[in-house]
Structures are given as C-alpha cells and as structure tokens.
Amino acid sequence: MNDPAGVLPFTGKVASHGEIEYARFAEKTPHLVLSTTLDNVTWKNTRIVRRVEDIRALKQQPGKDMHAVGGATLVSTLMNEGLVDELRLVVYRIVLGGGKAFFKDVRARHALKLLDVRPMKLDTVPLTYRT
C-alpha cells in the first residue's frame, strides 16, 4: 500500500482518517472484477470473473457477505439476475441535468424496503434498501 498519510493521486489532497482506515480494510479484502475485457489486475487479492454465473456460484458458498461496487450497468445486471439482497445508494445535493438513468436496464419491478437513512456531512444522504 502507498503511504496512507500521503497525497491522494485523484484528489491531490491528504487522505482523511476514514479514507486511510478504508484503504487498510480494502487492501486485506478479496476483490472480484466482473469483466469480459480485462486480462489482468494489479490490485492485491483481486481476480477477474467473466460471467454473472460465477458471481452466483460464489454467492451460494458459505461465508461473509459480498459487496458490489459499480455503476448502472453492473447494478442492473445483478438485479436482473436476482443477485442483489441490499441496495445502498448515496444521494448528492446536485442535479447534473444529464447522465445515465441508473435503473433503466432493470427488467422487472423490485419493491424496496427502506432500512436506513443517514444524512452526512456535505449534504450527502446514504440510503439502504432491502430488495
């Protein structure tokens, strides 16, 4: 891991305590990348899976929860395959007036049960739903 107290390459800012703690956690956590185009990954504890069926097989194994981080295409794919048990969205206080419709590719209706709302600093609001 790079110096956690150093400047972050994407923001040019020094990492916060929370970012440092998350980086330490993430470095120890196994990662899966669902991709049909990548041939290799450089992050430790990471492997590429090619098919959604591989995710389904892993999800059925005993062990800890799996967390998927991604955009509209990944979330839609996983929802269409019935692989999402919980959905976490973060709402930011800005309307861009464009972009990709987040659930446009989800084929079926999903009733969501709100589990948690936790307004945070900078007016972001994380929402947690059970699917």
Side-chain angles (χ1 to χ4, degrees):
M1 179 167 75
N2 294 333
D3 176 13
V7 173
L8 296 172
F10 296 118
T11 65
K13 298 178 182 177
V14 175
S16 70
H17 175 74
E19 289 168 327
I20 292 169
E21 290 302 311
Y22 181 79
R24 288 183 176 138
F25 166 77
E27 186 176 46
K28 298 174 191 171
T29 304
H31 292 76
L32 302 171
V33 177
L34 180 60
S35 175
T36 58
T37 58
L38 286 177
D39 291 321
N40 60 51
V41 290
T42 58
W43 204 3
K44 288 192 257 181
N45 297 325
T46 302
R47 68 179 182 164
I48 297 169
V49 293
R50 299 288 179 204
R51 304 169 312 135
V52 174
E53 293 79 19
D54 298 331
I55 300 292
R56 182 182 314 285
L58 290 166
K59 189 175 188 285
Q60 291 173 347
Q61 294 178 3
K64 296 185 178 184
D65 293 339
M66 295 174 66
H67 300 265
V69 178
T73 302
L74 176 64
V75 172
S76 295
T77 299
L78 296 176
M79 286 186 83
N80 287 336
E81 294 296 324
L83 295 173
V84 176
D85 301 318
E86 188 173 283
L87 186 61
R88 295 182 181 186
L89 303 172
V90 178
V91 178
Y92 290 83
R93 60 180 177 89
I94 186 168
V95 175
L96 297 177
K100 183 181 265 191
F102 199 72
F103 298 107
K104 128 181 134 46
D105 294 326
V106 175
R107 294 187 297 258
R109 186 178 191 145
H110 294 262
L112 303 176
K113 178 182 179 189
L114 183 62
L115 300 178
D116 191 32
V117 177
R118 196 170 302 194
M120 303 186 70
K121 294 178 184 174
L122 302 176
D123 297 328
T124 59
V125 182
L127 305 167
T128 303
Y129 292 95
R130 171 87 48 215
T131 59

